[in-house]
């Protein structure tokens, strides 16, 4: 399926869940790997705030893209953030959603607004 690049320049993104290994198979505990590089994948939770609206989303990043110094509630940057629609059938039920993936997660600073700069 097609991936859609997510422009984050105007957004505030706050870390709500620390990165943890992405589990591919819950029964065996197998960790998900990147299909191309073979690198282990991590998931993290963020709140994405833009134009007065917010969404809680889970984002997958390669293990090597997780920076030091991440703190819960602190702003983060998600370079290369893309959204990929998906659908599947599980136990006879059709399911669908959007998967988010970024090249990395790094500490960021809160955006400076015009009111603060004045």
């Amino acid at each position: 399926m097609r991936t859609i690049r997510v422009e984050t320049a105007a957004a505030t993104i706050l870390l709500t869940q620390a990165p943890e290994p992405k589990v591919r198979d819950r029964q065996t505990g197998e960790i998900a790997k990147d299909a191309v590089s073979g690198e282990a994948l991590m998931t993290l939770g963020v709140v994405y705030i833009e134009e007065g609206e917010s969404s809680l989303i889970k984002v997958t990043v390669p293990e090597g893209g997780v920076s030091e110094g991440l703190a819960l509630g602190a702003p983060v940057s998600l370079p290369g953030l893309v959204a990929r629609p998906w659908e599947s059938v599980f136990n006879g039920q059709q399911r669908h959603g959007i998967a988010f993936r970024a090249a990395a997660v790094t500490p960021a600073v809160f955006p400076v607004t015009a009111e603060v700069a004045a």
Side-chain angles (χ1 to χ4, degrees):
M1 289 201 137
R2 178 175 170 80
T3 59
I4 303 161
R5 191 170 68 92
V6 179
E7 179 56 54
T8 61
T12 299
I13 305 169
L14 306 175
L15 186 65
T16 59
Q17 180 184 13
E20 58 187 38
K22 181 174 183 172
V23 178
R24 177 186 171 122
D25 185 331
R26 293 182 189 178
Q27 293 180 345
T28 65
E30 178 186 1
I31 302 300
K33 306 276 184 185
D34 182 90
V36 176
S37 70
E39 185 174 8
L41 296 174
M42 308 289 283
T43 60
L44 55 108
V46 299
V47 62
Y48 184 96
I49 307 165
E50 186 174 20
E51 295 181 3
E53 295 195 20
S54 64
S55 298
L56 289 170
I57 62 172
K58 291 259 188 202
V59 180
T60 299
V61 297
E63 187 174 34
V66 177
S67 296
E68 296 291 325
L70 299 174
L72 291 179
V76 293
S77 176
L78 297 170
L81 182 63
V82 294
R84 177 178 290 134
W86 62 268
E87 60 182 52
S88 67
V89 177
F90 183 74
N91 287 338
Q93 302 249 351
Q94 178 112 13
R95 299 176 59 177
H96 61 276
I98 300 173
F100 293 91
R101 174 127 182 208
V105 56
T106 61
V109 295
F110 284 105
V112 176
T113 62
E115 298 164 3
V116 174

